Amino acid sequence: MSDMKKEMPFGDRAGGGRGAGGGRDRGPREDRGGGDLERGGGRGFGRRKVCRYCADKNLKVDYKNAADLKYFVTERGKIVPRRISGNCARHQREVATAIKRGRQVALLPFTVMQHQ
């Protein structure tokens, strides 16, 4: 019984089952090359968006200010996500609530009118 080969669940590899690369160390991340975000490489992202309400402390989210809220609504009437708008999580929640309140009092549209 001792000379019988013990069956491994993922084949005979001793590399830990990591695929084609095996278990070898790839080295530190900065030595691997590739695009650094500091020098503008990467996947084509532009510069980092900053929350306009955090940048300007005098600016407040208000449902009555429809002109400012239109920036955060698409032409179809959808709320723009924060990865697009650049808002922080706190102000994105406030903007979403203000847009919903503005819709309720008919300052902002729920949807667009269909032209035929």
Side-chain angles (χ1 to χ4, degrees), residues 51-57 59-61 69 72 82 85-98:
C51 178
R52 62 170 24 183
Y53 296 104
C54 289
D56 186 7
K57 298 294 183 185
L59 195 59
K60 301 289 182 202
V61 181
L69 292 179
F72 301 107
R82 65 179 279 236
S85 67
N87 284 339
C88 65
R90 173 182 173 217
H91 287 114
Q92 180 69 19
R93 286 192 298 270
E94 291 179 10
V95 164
T97 304

Side-chain angles (χ1 to χ4, degrees), residues 53 58-70 72 91 93-103 105 107-108:
Y53 296 104
N58 296 330
L59 195 59
K60 301 289 182 202
V61 181
D62 188 18
Y63 74 95
K64 294 172 275 191
N65 194 352
D68 280 349
L69 292 179
K70 278 189 185 288
F72 301 107
H91 287 114
R93 286 192 298 270
E94 291 179 10
V95 164
T97 304
I99 289 171
K100 292 171 187 175
R101 285 182 183 161
R103 287 173 176 166
V105 295
L107 293 175
L108 292 170

Side-chain angles (χ1 to χ4, degrees), residues 11-63:
D12 293 336
R13 263 188 286 164
R18 289 188 174 228
R24 66 179 182 256
D25 187 19
R26 295 182 352 184
R29 192 172 284 234
E30 55 268 9
D31 292 342
R32 288 188 218 151
D36 287 338
L37 294 177
E38 292 90 29
R39 43 178 188 157
R43 296 199 173 154
F45 296 119
R47 67 179 186 90
R48 172 116 169 87
K49 296 184 183 87
V50 64
C51 178
R52 62 170 24 183
Y53 296 104
C54 289
D56 186 7
K57 298 294 183 185
N58 296 330
L59 195 59
K60 301 289 182 202
V61 181
D62 188 18
Y63 74 95

